[in-house]
Amino acid sequence: MVKRSQAMRLSPEQVWQMVRTERLRLVEDLEELEPQQWNTASPCPGWDVRETPSGAAYPPLKQARR
């Protein structure tokens, strides 16, 4: 984990590399899910496990298109 004081010194490229690494780790975790697990309710009210990763990915994608 990067401390806040360190994060302020990271270049945009370093930040996006960290984001990419975390996304790849998430994909690895999600690949292990059984089909029925995708329909499990998530801690996000009204969202299931299938919908949660797309919500996490959306803000950076929206920002990158500006």
Side-chain angles (χ1 to χ4, degrees):
M1 176 151 240
V2 176
K3 293 181 182 180
R4 185 178 181 143
S5 61
Q6 291 173 317
M8 295 166 84
R9 291 185 230 137
L10 296 174
S11 70
E13 293 81 18
Q14 290 170 310
V15 171
W16 281 108
Q17 181 57 45
M18 291 171 59
V19 169
R20 182 178 186 277
T21 298
E22 291 304 315
R23 286 180 176 169
L24 291 173
R25 288 179 182 162
L26 177 60
V27 167
E28 289 173 4
D29 289 340
L30 295 174
E31 287 176 334
E32 296 176 10
L33 294 178
E34 298 295 328
Q36 68 274 14
Q37 291 175 298
W38 285 98
N39 297 320
T40 303
S42 79
C44 301
W47 290 38
D48 61 20
V49 171
R50 180 182 319 280
E51 297 164 320
T52 305
S54 62
Y58 178 72
L61 293 175
K62 182 178 177 184
Q63 185 177 30
R65 292 182 183 161
R66 290 183 185 177

